[in-house]
């Protein structure tokens, strides 16, 4: 039997196999994207878009932080007292309110609008302090601005005083990795 007759005789089987494979690939891609979107959702879109623009932030970074900090739970509260979607400390919220003369009720951190506005304001402040270096900003958001400055001035953690080669706090190190991963996925899936 020659190749041509074999191909003609098996063409329907080949086409069905290719079609089944294409459907399986589509389903795998569709379901995996749906699962990712379920785990990394877009919520509070109006507030995130508004305050990301106001404070010149990438909205996907804000979503990544909210997802990591609270899982989009407006009532989230940490054991140390951080509150709301972006897990702000009441002292930080009050400081931001005074520093930037925001004239809002900074004690209402369980309100999505208030929390996202103050969280974005704080992120913008950290972006300015750390020359838009997202890794340093995330480290400061989690571990504290003062700690990051100390680490940058310590040869054990920074070679050049501008970047960190090592974050000594395991929680902060893991936080930076987690939010950075979320950020990459948010940008890939939603943009």
């Amino acid at each position: 039997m020659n190749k041509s007759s074999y191909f003609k005789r098996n063409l329907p089987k080949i086409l069905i196999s290719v079609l089944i494979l294409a459907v399986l690939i589509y389903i795998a891609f569709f379901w995996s994207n749906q699962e990712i979107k379920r785990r990394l959702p877009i919520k509070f879109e109006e507030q995130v878009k508004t305050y990301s623009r106001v404070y010149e932030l990438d909205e996907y970074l804000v979503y990544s932080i909210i997802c990591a900090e609270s899982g989009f739970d407006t009532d989230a509260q940490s054991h140390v007292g951080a509150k709301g979607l972006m897990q702000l400390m009441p002292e930080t919220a009050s400081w931001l309110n005074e520093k930037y003369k925001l004239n809002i009720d900074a004690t209402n951190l369980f309100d999505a609008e208030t929390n996202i506005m103050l969280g974005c304001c704080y992120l913008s402040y950290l972006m300015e302090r750390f020359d838009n270096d997202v890794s340093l900003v995330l480290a400061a958001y989690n571990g504290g601005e003062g700690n990051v400055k100390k680490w940058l001035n310590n040869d054990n953690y920074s070679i050049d005083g501008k970047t960190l080669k090592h974050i000594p706090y395991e929680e902060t190190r893991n936080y930076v990795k987690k939010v950075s991963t979320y950020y990459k996925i948010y940008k890939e899936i939603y943009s």
Side-chain angles (χ1 to χ4, degrees):
M1 166 178 9
N2 67 30
K3 289 181 185 179
S4 177
S5 65
Y6 176 82
F7 182 74
K8 285 180 185 177
R9 197 167 42 113
N10 290 306
L11 182 61
K13 290 180 187 175
I14 294 169
L15 288 176
I16 289 171
S17 296
V18 168
L19 181 61
I20 290 171
L21 182 61
V23 169
L24 289 174
I25 290 170
Y26 173 78
I27 288 172
F29 177 76
F30 176 77
W31 285 112
S32 65
N33 269 353
Q34 290 304 103
E35 180 61 18
I36 290 170
K37 286 181 177 182
R38 187 184 71 72
R39 291 177 186 249
L40 299 175
I42 297 286
K43 294 183 178 182
F44 306 100
E45 189 170 8
E46 183 181 329
Q47 295 93 334
V48 170
K49 284 186 180 292
T50 296
Y51 294 111
S52 292
R53 277 193 293 268
V54 167
Y55 292 104
E56 299 177 353
L57 300 167
D58 185 329
E59 68 185 80
Y60 299 120
L61 179 62
V62 177
Y63 286 124
S64 300
I65 290 170
I66 293 172
C67 190
E69 289 287 351
S70 68
F72 293 92
D73 178 4
T74 55
D75 297 324
Q77 185 165 347
S78 76
H79 66 280
V80 295
K83 297 178 179 182
L85 291 168
M86 297 186 76
Q87 289 293 280
L88 293 169
M89 293 298 289
E91 301 79 18
T92 302
S94 293
W95 175 78
L96 290 165
N97 195 27
E98 289 176 32
K99 178 175 176 61
Y100 294 105
K101 299 178 183 8
L102 299 173
N103 299 317
I104 60 162
D105 181 4
T107 63
N108 194 11
L109 293 177
F110 294 116
D111 173 68
E113 180 108 10
T114 302
N115 194 281
I116 292 171
M117 192 245 313
L118 286 168
C120 287
C121 180
Y122 186 48
L123 273 176
S124 177
Y125 164 80
L126 292 173
M127 286 286 197
E128 185 179 313
R129 301 291 286 171
F130 294 105
D131 297 321
N132 295 311
D133 184 316
V134 173
S135 293
L136 293 178
V137 168
L138 294 175
Y141 195 91
N142 178 267
E145 177 186 359
N147 286 325
V148 172
K149 287 181 180 179
K150 280 191 271 185
W151 300 335
L152 287 170
N153 290 319
N154 185 325
D155 292 342
N156 293 322
Y157 308 122
S158 178
I159 296 171
D160 58 7
K162 296 177 183 175
T163 57
L164 292 174
K165 65 180 181 180
H166 178 70
I167 298 172
Y169 292 178
E170 182 178 7
E171 178 187 333
T172 300
R173 191 169 52 248
N174 291 337
Y175 177 84
V176 171
K177 287 178 190 174
K178 181 179 189 177
V179 176
S180 297
T181 300
Y182 286 0
Y183 184 37
K184 288 175 189 168
I185 295 170
Y186 266 105
K187 288 179 79 158
E188 184 176 319
I189 296 296
Y190 291 105
S191 60

